[in-house]
Amino acid sequence: MNQHYFSESPEGEFRPREIETLLAGSPRSVLTAGGVFSPDGLDRGTAVLLRELPDPSQLEDAGPEGPILDIGCGWGPIALAAALEHPGREVWAVDVNERSRELTARNAARLELGNVRVAAPEEVPPGLAFAEIRSNPPIRVGKEVLHGILREWLPRLLPGGAAYLVVAKHLGADSLQRWIAAEFPELEVSRAARDKGFHVIEARAPRA
């Protein structure tokens, strides 16, 4: 298993560098570094997810208000975009990789985003539930670990809340969608979008 972003403490010197990227419709200056996922900028899967997330103003039922969770935040693009778009909502950026957490925290500070909470998975309050989960999940950790991650977080959706997961088709998007539907029969699971070889899986919790 490549240690570059699966490890809690990546090897090599921590050397943050500045890049320009597009988040929430505007160019932003952020920090990345080696030892985290996609250190050179916004990866294609995350770009697809951010582009294909539904516009709440266009939805008949926009779902509940409440915290947003980014699982496997890397240097923070999904969490940062969510915090920029929803300044009144708390956004949790979770990663096992301490370097990813450091970068996300620094980037939130650079962008003056006081609504971002950066944490290791075990640091998230156990009773906290989420209106949305947005993630480019770490598929390459293997099915057993990935399924464990989803078993931990998907049950923490608020009633009417939704998870949006972007997965490459060639890395098993269809099989993961089927697994989620079978493992969580209470969730309404569908393919929300397909673009450039990536699928966005939506898993929505029932209303109370």
Side-chain angles (χ1 to χ4, degrees):
M1 184 184 296
N2 192 329
Q3 70 86 38
H4 67 114
Y5 70 94
F6 304 130
S7 302
E8 293 183 17
S9 301
E11 298 172 359
E13 188 176 350
F14 182 35
R15 293 182 177 177
R17 65 182 184 278
E18 193 172 287
I19 64 167
E20 295 288 325
T21 192
L22 192 69
L23 294 174
S26 297
R28 317 282 178 176
S29 174
V30 296
L31 297 175
T32 71
V36 304
F37 177 66
S38 192
D40 296 323
L42 200 63
D43 67 287
R44 286 198 307 156
T46 298
V48 168
L49 176 65
L50 295 178
R51 186 167 59 248
E52 297 294 342
L53 283 168
D55 181 348
S57 67
Q58 303 298 315
L59 296 177
E60 210 171 284
D61 180 2
E65 288 289 321
I68 298 169
L69 171 67
D70 174 11
I71 305 168
C73 61
W75 51 264
I78 295 173
L80 298 172
L84 287 162
E85 292 163 355
H86 303 282
R89 295 171 69 178
E90 196 172 62
V91 178
W92 284 80
V94 172
D95 206 300
V96 298
N97 183 324
E98 62 185 15
R99 190 170 294 183
S100 292
R101 299 195 301 271
E102 172 71 16
L103 287 167
T104 299
R106 289 198 194 185
N107 286 329
R110 286 168 70 94
L111 298 177
E112 299 182 338
L113 296 171
N115 55 330
V116 175
R117 307 284 178 262
V118 181
E122 65 274 11
E123 294 171 337
V124 178
L128 185 63
F130 299 93
E132 281 188 52
I133 295 172
R134 302 176 176 184
S135 180
N136 184 346
I139 296 296
R140 296 184 187 276
V141 297
K143 284 185 178 180
E144 184 177 349
V145 175
L146 177 64
H147 291 174
I149 292 170
L150 297 179
R151 286 189 182 105
E152 178 177 359
W153 297 110
L154 290 183
R156 295 175 70 167
L157 284 169
L158 287 165
Y164 298 95
L165 312 174
V166 65
V167 182
K169 179 174 173 56
H170 76 279
L171 292 178
D174 290 328
S175 62
L176 182 61
Q177 182 176 329
R178 290 192 297 269
W179 179 84
I180 293 171
E183 184 73 14
F184 303 97
E186 71 280 9
L187 299 181
E188 181 182 340
V189 182
S190 62
R191 186 174 64 202
R194 177 173 57 187
D195 187 12
K196 302 188 187 312
F198 289 88
H199 292 185
V200 178
I201 302 167
E202 177 181 338
R204 184 170 293 275
R207 284 286 186 181

